[in-house]
Amino acid sequence: MTQLALIIDLNVCVGCHACVTSCKEWNTSGSAGFMTDENPYSKDPTGTFFNRVQTYEIGEFPATETLHFPKSCLHCEDPPCVPVCPTGASYKRKEDGIVLVDYDKCIGCRYCSWACPYGVREIDETQKVMKKCTLCVDRIYDEELPESERKPACVLACPTSARLFGDVHDSESDVSVTIREEGGYQLMPEWGTKPANHYLPRRKTRMNIHEDELQRADNPLKKEERGPSAPVDAPTLDDSTSW
Amino acid sequence: MHPAFSVIFLTTLIGAGQGLFLALITGQSYAAVQLLPSQDSTQFYGNGAAIVMLFLIGGLIASFFHLGRPERAWRAASQWRTSWLSREVIVLPALMFLVFVYGVMHYFEWDTVLFTTKEGAKLQVTLVVGIIGALATFLLFLCTGMIYGCLKFLQEWHSPLTVINYTLLGTASGFVLATAFANHNAPELMRFFGIWATIITIAAFITRSASLIRNSRIKAKSTMQTALGVRHNKIQQKAMGFMGGSVNTRDFFHHASAILFKSMKWVFIVLVFIVPVIVIWYGITEANTTVLLTAFVIQYIGLIAERWFFFAQANHPQNLYYQTI
Ligand code: SF4
Ligand code: SF4
């Protein structure tokens, strides 16, 4: 079994939104039709996106840390959005685990968006069908593209390589090794959706050495050191004893 | 969740229709075993079924306003194996068909008696159709309730109380309507329906209150920590990734003020349960159709508020990701 997925490294994401724009650019020009933008240059711009980057502040000033958090469909292994769809428009592909919407079957009832706990399904207000990340299914198998470009548009766009793409069911794939070794985790594990996408936590390299450990207390060299001696003008033993 | 009026009207209208149909079948069953005087087929059951149809059709029309692509609605019948919405899409027209057959048979008095017992109880064909229809009615309540009840992370909805409340509230409003209808078309049944309407309304009050109490104690399973996977008690959103709103901010929040939200609960408790019970009692003693119809209308308005609150109260876990522009 194959389960394609994205791994998002929160340690290196700088929140530049390059993945958001390249995702929109690729997917709005695809054969599935454009992705709506309403009022793009006026008040209250809104539109359909597959991927969004959010920003959070962790902690309390001054001890704060900024977290940039990209979020798109996680291609759950047990996707709650699929069985609820009344038309069968939402489905999970057997061959690679990608969760897709058939835009020709969808009736735009929004029920699947209620059933996704992550809020990544967005109804297209013009086409009136449900849309979500396709993992660039129209790109990753395109043999006309050089092999190195057969990846989702967001992965190619990320300037800090915060996005990895691969098969999380293959234990030896880069992504599986990364999840294993870098502490990859899933979002909202409490619902049993088993998201295929994983996130890598913020990681800091810290020295776990205490200050007094920097000086070796029992250094043998110290044995030959001269012991502390009294100042020259201090009274000697001769001064204080009468023989 | 954002309370969509299409869904509010769909569920309240078909609920009232289903309730009225159950009332007709109850009346006919009692009449069949001679506990109630039997009624004129055309006048009472025929016209009654026509009113049921009006409500069901009204609900169906409302439901189309919820769909982005209503012209493809027929596709929604395909996934009945997994989707409660799909099951509802099948059961609703099936019920409409049964109500139609039931009404036509009564209207033209095609009512063969299948057999009669020694005591004089009669089994008529229409009653058989009616009982199948009553089963379909309960099935439809189950489907409607489960559409909401099956979503486990909408914790306010994920409870058997959701189905029970849909059933009892719909039945109550149907019986209130039946009381008014009976007063006009079959006065000797008015008291019977009125008493049942009161009992069911009180039962619905108990179960709906139970769900209000349950919901006030819910502890959300998802938190900011599980949503982001960051272990820190203080996490604050600084940007949602857009500034002009999106489906996520429009569809999943009720956008009403806290006061409106809170008062809606009391509005529906008063309009669905308290006022109708008093008005029905007054209508029964006065045998006044207008008063009884008023009871129905007040309760129906209350049910709209109840449904609004039902949606507004549900807190979707995705809202964790959409807290600050
Ligand atoms: S993230 Fe949401 S839309 Fe994507 S597969 Fe999981 S439940 Fe479905
Ligand atoms: S909106 Fe479309 S994909 Fe989603 S449940 Fe309805 S028909 Fe299925």
Side-chain angles (χ1 to χ4, degrees):
Chain A
M1 273 251 294
T2 309
Q3 171 68 62
L4 298 180
L6 292 172
I7 312 299
I8 292 153
D9 192 345
L10 300 178
N11 201 36
V12 292
C13 174
V14 291
C16 68
H17 291 246
C19 53
V20 179
T21 47
S22 74
C23 164
K24 179 98 175 188
E25 189 276 331
W26 175 261
N27 285 296
T28 206
S29 2
S31 56
F34 64 96
M35 289 158 75
T36 299
D37 269 320
E38 286 176 83
N39 319 321
Y41 302 109
S42 48
K43 198 166 164 273
D44 294 330
T46 181
T48 311
F49 283 81
F50 292 170
N51 178 30
R52 304 206 186 244
V53 179
Q54 309 188 315
T55 302
Y56 296 85
E57 185 175 87
I58 296 166
E60 209 165 348
F61 183 79
T64 55
E65 195 175 311
T66 305
L67 179 82
H68 299 294
F69 187 83
K71 176 165 72 75
S72 54
C73 170
L74 308 167
H75 298 279
C76 302
E77 296 195 40
D78 196 355
C81 57
V82 168
V84 301
C85 173
T87 61
S90 273
Y91 62 105
K92 186 172 175 72
R93 306 217 308 177
K94 285 239 158 50
E95 62 270 34
D96 53 15
I98 301 181
V99 176
L100 287 178
V101 179
D102 183 337
Y103 300 149
D104 293 332
K105 279 192 189 162
C106 174
I107 55 172
C109 68
R110 301 164 186 242
Y111 194 27
C112 54
S113 72
W114 296 8
C116 165
Y118 307 100
V120 294
R121 288 181 164 251
E122 301 192 5
I123 192 119
D124 190 301
E125 302 283 7
T126 311
Q127 294 176 18
K128 300 287 182 196
V129 292
M130 196 51 78
K131 296 198 169 175
K132 61 178 267 311
C133 162
T134 65
L135 271 186
C136 285
V137 71
D138 51 349
R139 182 178 178 108
I140 55 179
Y141 296 113
D142 188 349
E143 308 216 321
E144 311 223 315
L145 293 172
E147 181 131 17
S148 61
E149 281 180 27
R150 288 182 214 156
K151 286 179 180 171
C154 57
V155 174
L156 294 170
C158 180
T160 60
S161 303
R163 305 176 75 91
L164 312 177
F165 170 68
D167 175 12
V168 290
H169 276 187
D170 170 4
S171 325
E172 293 315 315
S173 66
D174 281 354
V175 285
S176 292
V177 171
T178 310
I179 294 172
R180 242 182 0 251
E181 295 180 355
E182 307 285 328
Y185 64 89
Q186 297 167 318
L187 303 184
M188 293 189 191
E190 61 273 22
W191 301 119
T193 54
K194 294 202 255 159
N197 283 12
H198 282 68
Y199 284 77
L200 303 182
R202 308 264 297 153
R203 317 187 273 299
K204 298 233 167 103
T205 316
R206 284 215 175 85
M207 280 204 297
N208 287 317
I209 300 178
H210 215 261
E211 189 124 28
D212 58 4
E213 287 172 309
L214 290 174
Q215 292 268 345
R216 189 172 159 189
D218 57 350
N219 192 334
L221 286 175
K222 285 194 179 144
K223 283 190 178 153
E224 290 170 22
E225 237 174 35
R226 291 184 59 168
S229 50
V232 195
D233 54 346
T236 64
L237 193 62
D238 283 343
D239 297 332
S240 54
T241 23
S242 57
W243 297 94
Chain B
M1 303 293 292
H2 172 71
F5 273 97
S6 48
V7 184
I8 293 180
F9 282 116
L10 160 70
T11 54
T12 49
L13 285 173
I14 63 171
Q18 286 167 268
L20 180 58
F21 187 63
L22 287 180
L24 294 180
I25 305 305
T26 315
Q28 199 186 354
S29 313
Y30 273 64
V33 292
Q34 293 170 321
L35 288 174
L36 283 178
S38 47
Q39 297 304 321
D40 181 67
S41 250
T42 314
Q43 271 300 310
F44 187 69
Y45 297 111
N47 290 343
I51 300 177
V52 173
M53 269 315 253
L54 287 183
F55 276 92
L56 296 183
I57 291 171
L60 191 66
I61 293 173
S63 76
F64 277 96
F65 284 96
H66 185 67
L67 301 184
R69 296 280 196 148
E71 74 278 11
R72 300 175 180 166
W74 57 272
R75 286 188 184 275
S78 67
Q79 301 301 307
W80 52 273
R81 284 184 204 82
T82 59
S83 168
W84 282 103
L85 180 53
S86 184
R87 289 171 199 161
E88 186 186 46
V89 168
I90 295 170
V91 177
L92 178 56
L95 175 64
M96 291 170 90
F97 174 73
L98 287 167
V99 173
F100 178 75
V101 172
Y102 178 83
V104 166
M105 285 171 81
H106 266 303
Y107 196 83
F108 295 105
E109 300 184 20
W110 299 331
D111 210 359
T112 333
V113 175
L114 295 178
F115 64 84
T116 316
T117 62
K118 277 200 289 300
E119 292 78 23
K122 284 184 292 190
L123 183 67
Q124 292 152 308
V125 188
T126 49
L127 188 57
V128 176
V129 177
I131 287 172
I132 299 172
L135 291 178
T137 306
F138 282 115
L139 210 55
L140 184 54
F141 276 130
L142 178 71
C143 294
T144 313
M146 281 308 284
I147 287 176
Y148 309 101
C150 75
L151 300 172
K152 61 183 170 195
F153 32 78
L154 279 157
Q155 288 170 274
E156 287 83 355
W157 294 352
H158 187 57
S159 146
L161 283 172
T162 302
V163 177
I164 295 173
N165 286 331
Y166 268 89
T167 310
L168 286 180
L169 290 169
T171 313
S173 90
F175 268 76
V176 175
L177 183 59
T179 315
F181 176 65
N183 193 48
H184 193 259
N185 286 26
E188 60 268 49
L189 295 192
M190 181 269 285
R191 192 167 284 272
F192 168 79
F193 286 131
I195 291 171
W196 272 115
T198 313
I199 294 175
I200 300 168
T201 304
I202 292 171
F205 174 67
I206 295 170
T207 57
R208 190 65 179 95
S209 308
S211 82
L212 285 178
I213 294 169
R214 172 186 178 272
N215 289 353
S216 67
R217 298 187 177 170
I218 277 183
K219 200 166 166 291
K221 270 199 199 171
S222 288
T223 59
M224 220 53 234
Q225 284 71 33
T226 67
L228 300 183
V230 174
R231 187 162 289 273
H232 198 298
N233 297 338
K234 272 243 151 50
I235 301 177
Q236 214 195 350
Q237 186 161 35
K238 291 290 173 191
M240 295 197 290
F242 50 82
M243 291 163 80
S246 74
V247 173
N248 306 84
T249 57
R250 288 190 293 266
D251 268 17
F252 294 89
F253 293 88
H254 56 71
H255 297 292
S257 65
I259 301 165
L260 180 67
F261 174 71
K262 274 221 181 88
S263 51
M264 207 57 120
K265 178 165 81 185
W266 298 106
V267 168
F268 90 70
I269 288 178
V270 169
L271 291 187
V272 176
F273 305 111
I274 301 172
V275 177
V277 168
I278 299 169
V279 179
I280 290 174
W281 175 78
Y282 178 68
I284 293 175
T285 42
E286 297 286 310
N288 186 328
T289 310
T290 323
V291 173
L292 290 168
L293 262 185
T294 314
F296 170 74
V297 173
I298 292 175
Q299 192 178 47
Y300 185 77
I301 294 171
L303 282 173
I304 292 176
E306 188 275 337
R307 229 28 63 88
W308 186 94
F309 187 81
F310 172 80
F311 284 102
Q313 197 187 27
N315 198 6
H316 198 286
Q318 77 108 34
N319 295 2
L320 289 169
Y321 297 109
Y322 297 92
Q323 311 201 14
T324 326
I325 294 254

